[in-house]
Amino acid sequence: MSIKPVHKPSYYVVNAITLYRLLAAPLLLILLFSGHLAVFKWLLMVSFLTDAIDGYLARKYQVTSIFGSILDSVSDDLTIAVAILGIMLVNPEFLRKELTLVMVQVLLFITQICFALIRYHKISSFHTYLAKFVTISQGIFLVLFYWLPEPVYMLFYAVSTLTILDLLEETVLVLVIPQWETDVKGLYWVIKNGSSKKPRQP
């Protein structure tokens, strides 16, 4: 789908915000390994906030695209990966204690990515309702993890459960949706209405 001229400035602004999150990931790594945890915590929080901002603006101004959707998904994954790596360095005991639950999520994530690459030849960017809620929940837990003296275990278990459900849903979506799509509400709506959307053009 082509972008209307009136929306072109918004298109570039939204993608620039998303691109910031992508470029911030290596900077977060540098801050993490150089011991600048205070700056790391602030920048991590900003990165998660930009995720909410670019998604809202993309929907408001109707400037979603294949490029923007994939860029958003990759930026999200990198931000979360850096935050998890930080947990390994800052509180390895927490990770050792919850290693099984974390590994289940990692394996499901890898499985979903592999299925999408085989079927669509690129990563999926369904942006389901559940995925959006999970991303917000993950951001809240990870930010609080670095700001509070102790991890909020109940929040971790709740977020992990939602993440597992989201990854299972997205894996099934890859299997039932024949062509790459974005802005898919969820498996319930696909089953109810069928997948009739055409892939968006950048």
Side-chain angles (χ1 to χ4, degrees):
M1 184 176 67
S2 60
I3 306 299
K4 295 180 180 179
V6 69
H7 286 154
K8 276 191 174 180
S10 300
Y11 171 80
Y12 293 120
V13 169
V14 169
N15 284 336
I17 294 173
T18 308
L19 184 61
Y20 156 80
R21 196 160 64 256
L22 180 68
L23 297 177
L27 178 57
L28 284 167
L29 280 176
I30 294 172
L31 292 170
L32 190 60
F33 283 102
S34 61
H36 294 87
L37 188 58
V39 182
F40 171 84
K41 293 191 297 184
W42 280 104
L43 190 58
L44 181 67
M45 184 165 60
V46 170
S47 290
F48 280 119
L49 286 175
T50 62
D51 184 34
I53 293 171
D54 63 7
Y56 168 76
L57 292 177
R59 290 186 294 273
K60 180 178 180 179
Y61 294 106
Q62 299 180 340
V63 289
T64 56
S65 66
I66 291 178
F67 172 77
S69 296
I70 293 178
L71 181 65
D72 182 67
S73 295
V74 172
S75 300
D76 288 349
D77 293 341
L78 285 177
T79 302
I80 292 172
V82 171
I84 293 174
L85 180 60
I87 293 176
M88 295 173 59
L89 298 177
V90 174
N91 193 343
E93 182 59 33
F94 171 82
L95 200 58
R96 281 194 292 268
K97 181 179 178 181
E98 304 297 341
L99 184 60
T100 300
L101 188 53
V102 171
M103 287 306 300
V104 168
Q105 296 173 71
V106 170
L107 290 174
L108 285 174
F109 173 75
I110 293 173
T111 299
Q112 193 273 342
I113 290 291
C114 290
F115 278 24
L117 290 174
I118 292 171
R119 190 165 178 82
Y120 306 135
H121 306 295
K122 53 176 166 272
I123 66 171
S124 63
S125 295
F126 293 123
H127 292 168
T128 63
Y129 288 154
L130 179 57
K132 292 172 184 175
F133 182 72
V134 165
T135 300
I136 294 172
S137 302
Q138 290 172 339
I140 291 173
F141 169 75
L142 290 169
V143 169
L144 291 177
F145 182 91
Y146 291 101
W147 284 93
L148 297 180
E150 294 292 334
V152 184
Y153 280 91
M154 290 305 297
L155 180 58
F156 170 72
Y157 296 137
V159 171
S160 295
T161 301
L162 290 171
T163 300
I164 290 171
L165 292 174
D166 171 51
L167 291 170
L168 289 173
E169 180 186 48
E170 297 214 0
T171 301
V172 174
L173 285 173
V174 171
L175 297 176
V176 301
I177 298 179
Q179 299 183 77
W180 189 94
E181 294 184 15
T182 188
D183 294 331
V184 177
K185 293 181 179 180
L187 183 60
Y188 167 78
W189 288 272
V190 170
I191 294 174
K192 180 180 178 181
N193 303 320
S195 179
S196 59
K197 292 171 57 180
K198 299 297 183 183
R200 297 176 184 265
Q201 297 301 318

